[in-house]
Amino acid sequence: MSAVLAYLKENRDQLLNKLTDFLTIPSISTDSIHKQDVQKAADFVVRYLKEIGFENVDKQETKGHPLVYAEYNGAGEEAPTVLFYGHYDVQPVDPIDEWTSDPFKPEIRDERIYARGASDDKGQVFMHLAVFEAYMKTEGKLPINVKVCIEGEEEIGSEHLYEVLQSDKERFHADFAVISDSGMVAANQPTILYGLKGFTGIEVKVTGPDHDLHSGIYGGAVRNPITALSHILASMKNEEEVITVEGFYDDVEPLSDEERKLISEVPSEDYRNSTGIPETVSEQGYTPQEHTMGRPTFEINGIYGGYQGEGTKTIIPSTATAKITCRIVPGQNPNKIQDLLEKHIMKAAPAGVKVEVKKEKLSARAYKVEPSNPLIKVAAESYTKAFGKETVYIRMGGSIPVVEWIEAIYNIPIVLLGFGTPEDRLHSPNESFPLDSFDKGMETLVYYWEKLGQK
Amino acid sequence: MSAVLAYLKENRDQLLNKLTDFLTIPSISTDSIHKQDVQKAADFVVRYLKEIGFENVDKQETKGHPLVYAEYNGAGEEAPTVLFYGHYDVQPVDPIDEWTSDPFKPEIRDERIYARGASDDKGQVFMHLAVFEAYMKTEGKLPINVKVCIEGEEEIGSEHLYEVLQSDKERFHADFAVISDSGMVAANQPTILYGLKGFTGIEVKVTGPDHDLHSGIYGGAVRNPITALSHILASMKNEEEVITVEGFYDDVEPLSDEERKLISEVPSEDYRNSTGIPETVSEQGYTPQEHTMGRPTFEINGIYGGYQGEGTKTIIPSTATAKITCRIVPGQNPNKIQDLLEKHIMKAAPAGVKVEVKKEKLSARAYKVEPSNPLIKVAAESYTKAFGKETVYIRMGGSIPVVEWIEAIYNIPIVLLGFGTPEDRLHSPNESFPLDSFDKGMETLVYYWEKLGQK
């Protein structure tokens, strides 16, 4: 193992040069102009995997961008098999003027490498490949068996991934999965992400008159759809941030005392500074961190109806619409939550208007792996050893579709090993990744594979 | 008097031809391309007033379009002086494709004259002038003294009228005013409009974070501005359509039993048919007609915040805004109402967001003349005599700025004698005016002036 670490140290410049080549390819998946670049990035990954010594390396075409697959079976039947997922496509770069250096000419400044994809996710994918290379070059083998699945459509919703995962279950089957497409709560703060929320959404549309009416002539005889919508929305969550939809919390797995303790150990974000809000609010009985990480949320993402221009237009509008999404936690079923929301809304709908609920098709269950799971414990130890700092455990309010799908199709534990930092500016101009994370992240992976291979 | 009526009958074709000339001028006040046409329409009125025999006929220039002024003082000092207000400008004609005949080539079909301005307000102004002509041509004098004030900016908010009325109080001073720029509740149903609502407005803006936030990361720590706005709005009017802003009804002049009886005699609109609503709603304790005519209203005219596009965007939006106007009744002070709304909103504002209230500058008090006022009684009798049907008394939820101004500056009774019908399609394609209203309306005016001259 020390030889592996030494290899990474000695070859750091060469590895950074190789990462630079990878980051130079503008593999923007959403932009058809870059279709060939996306292919080039896939080819880069294919070439690298072959160099390392992976078997069955395959660029699997989809209706969109290809998925790169590879296997390593040399660790023996006793050793566990990991499914390593990542993506080689990147976000667009607009507004281009705000970049200090060219997003596709990687530049190192202040111990960070600046480029689109440096953190999300090319940089983190590359670290895994470099660690595999180091093992093969020094020990001639990997401690574990690996299935590699690196897609080119993550930034456009992983459009064809579910189909692929579903269509060849044998191919992608593994004992557990590892994904490095997330971050740590602070630079140099090893972080285990052990849970994600699911989500579900609805749209409520209230229709009153069939056209906008003169408020002077009709005001007093006609229900105002915006007022009706306000009443409905106000009835769904109270000022204490408690969701007042009947049955909403019924299936929520309660936060255990252990989890509340873990959450309390996570360094708190300075919300006032990062968001400009005068003060935080959270569900009665829970801290903002407990709520964001471990309790379901109800957010109105958008609302519109009637006149939105300058000045005044004295109308009773014909319609008012609100878009709502809920982030749900383990135990909750997104379809059931949609049904409860719909039922509540229909019950709250006042006379004089028509209320319609449209259920969003995209929805996902929450994901959680127990912090006490050995795969998690070993990851935490590896992090701590590499970063020299105790690992914190977090759950996140966001959703990662691939996590939900791997869980749904294969029902295996998923270990989310993120090395990004809050300063990485994902999806924004001047994306970067700290070289410190690059070094210590690879070190973490070396410890992790080594330890898992010994089991 | 019978000679006057005979004159109108005998000269009907010639008068309709003259009205046609007036309607042919495209005096669209909002469109600078038509600036000369607006002048032409003013010149038409000036010429006609001179022909009739008015004195001091004057085209008074303003910073916008001119105001036509004229006097008739031949009825003697004993006779009352009326200020007759009207306007010769018209609305734009878009969408032009929907007109069956050219908006500025008047055409008579099915006993209606179709043209832009046929009802609003050239047609009704013309009827007054024709009646004055008939008196002068037959009796050589008018039964009353008249001051004529016909403006060219009504359709653009009477921008310079207040200034003019205010600047020369002596000139426009009269014992009462008559305006024919409104309608009857149904064709052939004589209608006295004896009250108008005032109005006032505010805009509420709720700001949470300084930019849209990821609902997965921040949901649970940050107050959602749309939810906050919904709570505020829901607290201002309840489901029984009662406005729950403290003090809102304090100064409202109660509806008397007499008025409720008058209102109950007005033929009711079929709201389901005209607006498409499933059922009417109105303030607890009041019928829809009582509420629309005589009780204040609170309407949210528009609302917006966050994502309004297709599908889902999982954000906590930075801001949410609502536009609110109230129609107020006699007794209520628009500025005080704005203050009460603001106070309520500020008190209802929850922690975690910033709430701002912007007060609309445009506001007006309500106007009402007692139905028992002799000027009103005589008008009702004249209507009934001409149309052969009992007159109904209505109040209207709308506002007419000039009424508020004449009241504020001169404090004289204002008689609103409207001859339009609900089918006239004001401001819309295919505006028209029934020839029946043209004939009976002029007859009504003949009776009215005659009777008032005898007093």
Side-chain angles (χ1 to χ4, degrees):
Chain A
M1 186 181 73
S2 56
V4 180
L5 293 173
Y7 180 91
L8 291 169
K9 199 167 260 175
E10 282 157 23
N11 291 279
R12 188 177 186 253
D13 285 353
Q14 176 237 313
L15 289 171
L16 280 174
N17 284 342
K18 193 160 190 161
L19 170 59
T20 297
D21 291 345
F22 191 24
L23 292 172
T24 302
I25 308 166
S27 51
I28 302 170
S29 50
T30 193
D31 191 343
S32 57
I33 283 177
H34 290 285
K35 198 168 166 58
Q36 286 312 310
D37 296 315
V38 177
Q39 285 282 348
K40 271 187 212 169
D43 292 339
F44 178 98
V45 177
V46 164
R47 218 164 36 239
Y48 196 1
L49 287 164
K50 284 181 178 170
E51 277 171 34
I52 295 166
F54 274 85
E55 304 150 34
N56 301 322
V57 181
D58 177 25
K59 195 170 79 171
Q60 185 170 345
E61 295 297 338
T62 71
K63 277 174 213 151
H65 302 301
L67 179 146
V68 177
Y69 178 81
E71 286 177 5
Y72 175 80
N73 299 309
E77 286 188 9
E78 300 283 290
T81 300
V82 63
L83 175 66
F84 165 57
Y85 165 89
H87 65 93
Y88 62 81
D89 65 321
V90 298
Q91 278 278 321
V93 294
D94 295 323
I96 185 75
D97 293 350
E98 294 182 19
W99 286 79
T100 303
S101 54
D102 189 313
F104 297 111
K105 287 185 183 152
E107 196 175 288
I108 293 174
R109 301 191 298 273
D110 306 328
E111 292 301 297
R112 282 184 163 264
I113 183 161
Y114 285 83
R116 172 58 85 227
S119 177
D120 177 19
D121 181 39
K122 279 174 169 174
Q124 301 198 58
V125 162
F126 186 87
M127 287 158 64
H128 279 270
L129 302 186
V131 167
F132 295 143
E133 174 191 328
Y135 266 108
M136 295 299 277
K137 284 281 167 82
T138 53
E139 304 195 346
K141 64 187 285 287
L142 304 185
I144 42 142
N145 299 311
V146 181
K147 290 183 176 183
V148 172
C149 165
I150 303 182
E151 69 157 326
E153 298 191 303
E154 200 273 347
E155 301 296 1
I156 50 172
S158 301
E159 219 179 323
H160 301 97
L161 182 64
Y162 184 80
E163 211 174 293
V164 172
L165 290 177
Q166 175 78 16
S167 67
D168 196 349
K169 289 190 190 174
E170 195 50 46
R171 189 177 210 195
F172 294 94
H173 190 272
D175 298 310
F176 68 109
V178 163
I179 302 176
S180 296
D181 191 18
S182 54
M184 307 184 293
V185 290
N188 208 42
Q189 172 57 65
T191 306
I192 293 279
L193 178 56
Y194 71 96
L196 296 166
K197 287 184 187 167
F199 78 94
T200 189
I202 55 161
E203 191 177 287
V204 198
K205 184 176 177 184
V206 179
T207 304
D210 55 20
H211 58 289
D212 292 350
L213 299 178
H214 189 296
S215 75
I217 297 173
Y218 292 100
V222 171
R223 179 84 71 186
N224 184 310
I226 302 178
T227 307
L229 181 59
S230 300
H231 278 270
I232 292 170
L233 296 175
S235 75
M236 299 181 82
K237 184 163 82 171
N238 69 20
E239 281 203 21
E240 284 71 42
E241 297 285 315
V242 175
I243 299 159
T244 45
V245 173
E246 198 182 328
F248 188 89
Y249 293 105
D250 280 0
D251 302 326
V252 170
E253 270 181 23
L255 279 182
S256 65
D257 290 347
E258 287 80 2
E259 280 203 88
R260 294 181 101 154
K261 185 165 174 293
L262 284 177
I263 291 171
S264 74
E265 284 162 1
V266 179
S268 173
E269 179 171 343
D270 180 354
Y271 288 104
R272 256 178 288 202
N273 189 45
S274 59
T275 71
I277 59 170
E279 59 186 294
T280 57
V281 296
S282 56
E283 184 185 346
Q284 202 168 32
Y286 297 89
T287 66
Q289 278 182 301
E290 286 169 348
H291 193 177
T292 51
M293 291 189 197
R295 295 284 301 174
T297 63
F298 169 99
E299 299 296 347
I300 309 170
N301 311 117
I303 193 166
Y304 55 98
Y307 183 64
Q308 304 193 6
E310 276 294 301
T312 296
K313 193 176 177 189
T314 50
I315 54 167
I316 300 173
S318 172
T319 67
T321 305
K323 288 169 175 285
I324 297 167
T325 49
C326 292
R327 300 278 181 174
I328 58 176
V329 297
Q332 290 183 299
N333 175 326
N335 298 329
K336 183 176 167 192
I337 292 299
Q338 281 185 326
D339 289 344
L340 292 174
L341 296 174
E342 184 183 34
K343 199 173 154 195
H344 176 100
I345 289 165
M346 288 311 184
K347 213 169 145 186
V353 290
K354 187 177 77 176
V355 177
E356 292 160 293
V357 170
K358 197 170 100 189
K359 294 176 181 172
E360 281 299 329
K361 279 187 197 114
L362 266 180
S363 67
R365 283 170 178 271
Y367 173 74
K368 203 182 97 174
V369 55
E370 286 308 317
S372 57
N373 185 303
L375 291 163
I376 296 294
K377 283 286 168 212
V378 173
E381 287 159 22
S382 306
Y383 258 127
T384 299
K385 197 165 166 189
F387 282 81
K389 208 169 169 187
E390 277 303 310
T391 299
V392 296
Y393 292 78
I394 65 167
R395 285 165 67 172
M396 199 177 79
S399 304
I400 305 179
V402 63
V403 172
E404 147 89 356
W405 298 338
I406 293 174
E407 156 84 356
I409 301 172
Y410 300 104
N411 191 26
I412 53 174
I414 301 159
V415 181
L416 301 164
L417 292 178
F419 300 107
T421 69
E423 294 76 31
D424 290 1
R425 302 184 63 85
L426 314 182
H427 298 203
S428 297
N430 301 313
E431 177 177 349
S432 68
F433 189 70
L435 296 183
D436 188 57
S437 276
F438 184 71
D439 297 330
K440 291 181 182 159
M442 290 195 295
E443 200 180 331
T444 305
L445 294 174
V446 172
Y447 297 141
Y448 192 47
W449 300 139
E450 195 68 29
K451 190 77 184 258
L452 291 183
Q454 288 165 7
K455 297 217 162 199
Chain B
M1 187 182 70
S2 56
V4 180
L5 292 173
Y7 179 91
L8 290 170
K9 198 167 259 175
E10 284 156 22
N11 292 278
R12 187 175 186 255
D13 286 353
Q14 177 237 311
L15 289 171
L16 280 175
N17 285 340
K18 193 158 191 162
L19 170 59
T20 296
D21 291 345
F22 191 23
L23 293 174
T24 302
I25 308 166
S27 51
I28 302 170
S29 50
T30 193
D31 191 344
S32 57
I33 283 178
H34 290 285
K35 196 167 167 61
Q36 286 313 309
D37 296 314
V38 177
Q39 285 283 348
K40 272 187 210 166
D43 292 338
F44 177 97
V45 177
V46 164
R47 216 162 39 235
Y48 197 2
L49 287 165
K50 285 182 176 168
E51 276 171 33
I52 295 167
F54 274 85
E55 302 151 34
N56 301 322
V57 181
D58 178 23
K59 193 170 80 170
Q60 184 169 346
E61 295 295 340
T62 70
K63 278 175 213 149
H65 302 300
L67 180 146
V68 177
Y69 178 81
E71 284 176 4
Y72 175 80
N73 299 309
E77 287 188 10
E78 300 283 289
T81 301
V82 63
L83 174 66
F84 164 58
Y85 164 88
H87 64 94
Y88 62 80
D89 65 322
V90 298
Q91 279 277 320
V93 294
D94 296 320
I96 186 73
D97 293 349
E98 294 182 17
W99 287 80
T100 302
S101 54
D102 189 312
F104 298 111
K105 287 184 183 153
E107 195 175 288
I108 293 173
R109 301 192 297 273
D110 305 327
E111 292 301 298
R112 282 184 163 264
I113 183 161
Y114 285 84
R116 171 58 85 227
S119 177
D120 176 20
D121 180 40
K122 279 173 168 175
Q124 301 199 58
V125 162
F126 185 87
M127 287 158 63
H128 279 269
L129 302 186
V131 167
F132 295 142
E133 173 191 329
Y135 266 109
M136 294 300 277
K137 285 281 167 80
T138 53
E139 305 194 346
K141 63 185 285 288
L142 304 185
I144 44 143
N145 299 310
V146 181
K147 291 184 174 180
V148 173
C149 166
I150 302 182
E151 70 158 325
E153 298 190 303
E154 200 272 348
E155 301 295 2
I156 50 172
S158 300
E159 218 178 326
H160 301 98
L161 182 65
Y162 183 81
E163 210 174 293
V164 172
L165 291 176
Q166 175 77 14
S167 68
D168 196 350
K169 290 190 190 176
E170 195 49 47
R171 189 178 211 193
F172 295 95
H173 189 271
D175 298 309
F176 68 109
V178 163
I179 301 177
S180 296
D181 191 18
S182 52
M184 308 184 292
V185 291
N188 207 41
Q189 172 55 66
T191 306
I192 293 278
L193 178 56
Y194 71 97
L196 296 166
K197 287 184 188 169
F199 79 92
T200 189
I202 55 161
E203 192 177 286
V204 199
K205 185 176 175 183
V206 179
T207 304
D210 54 21
H211 58 288
D212 293 350
L213 299 178
H214 188 296
S215 76
I217 297 172
Y218 292 99
V222 171
R223 180 83 72 186
N224 185 311
I226 302 178
T227 307
L229 181 59
S230 299
H231 277 270
I232 292 169
L233 296 174
S235 76
M236 301 181 82
K237 186 162 81 171
N238 68 22
E239 281 203 21
E240 283 70 43
E241 297 285 316
V242 175
I243 298 158
T244 44
V245 173
E246 197 180 331
F248 188 89
Y249 293 105
D250 279 1
D251 303 326
V252 169
E253 270 182 21
L255 279 183
S256 65
D257 290 348
E258 288 79 1
E259 278 203 88
R260 294 181 99 156
K261 185 166 173 297
L262 285 177
I263 290 171
S264 73
E265 285 161 0
V266 179
S268 172
E269 179 171 345
D270 179 354
Y271 289 104
R272 255 177 290 202
N273 190 43
S274 59
T275 71
I277 58 169
E279 60 187 291
T280 57
V281 295
S282 56
E283 185 185 345
Q284 201 167 34
Y286 297 89
T287 67
Q289 278 181 304
E290 286 170 348
H291 194 177
T292 52
M293 291 189 197
R295 296 283 299 174
T297 63
F298 170 98
E299 298 296 348
I300 309 171
N301 310 119
I303 193 166
Y304 56 99
Y307 182 66
Q308 304 193 5
E310 276 294 301
T312 297
K313 193 175 176 190
T314 50
I315 53 167
I316 300 172
S318 172
T319 67
T321 304
K323 289 169 173 285
I324 297 167
T325 49
C326 291
R327 301 279 180 174
I328 58 175
V329 297
Q332 291 184 297
N333 175 326
N335 298 330
K336 183 175 167 193
I337 292 297
Q338 281 185 326
D339 290 344
L340 291 174
L341 295 175
E342 184 183 33
K343 200 174 153 194
H344 176 101
I345 289 165
M346 288 311 183
K347 214 169 143 186
V353 290
K354 187 176 77 178
V355 176
E356 292 160 293
V357 170
K358 198 171 98 188
K359 293 175 180 174
E360 281 298 329
K361 279 186 197 116
L362 266 179
S363 66
R365 282 170 178 274
Y367 172 76
K368 203 183 99 176
V369 56
E370 286 307 317
S372 57
N373 184 303
L375 290 164
I376 295 296
K377 283 285 169 216
V378 173
E381 287 159 22
S382 306
Y383 258 125
T384 298
K385 197 164 165 189
F387 283 81
K389 205 166 171 188
E390 278 304 311
T391 300
V392 296
Y393 293 76
I394 66 167
R395 285 166 66 174
M396 199 176 78
S399 304
I400 304 179
V402 64
V403 172
E404 146 90 354
W405 299 337
I406 292 174
E407 156 84 356
I409 301 172
Y410 300 104
N411 191 25
I412 53 174
I414 301 159
V415 182
L416 301 165
L417 291 178
F419 301 108
T421 68
E423 294 76 32
D424 290 1
R425 301 184 62 87
L426 313 182
H427 297 201
S428 297
N430 301 312
E431 177 176 351
S432 68
F433 189 70
L435 296 182
D436 188 59
S437 277
F438 184 72
D439 296 331
K440 292 179 180 158
M442 290 194 295
E443 199 180 332
T444 304
L445 293 174
V446 171
Y447 298 142
Y448 192 48
W449 300 139
E450 196 67 33
K451 190 76 184 262
L452 291 183
Q454 289 165 9
K455 299 225 156 189

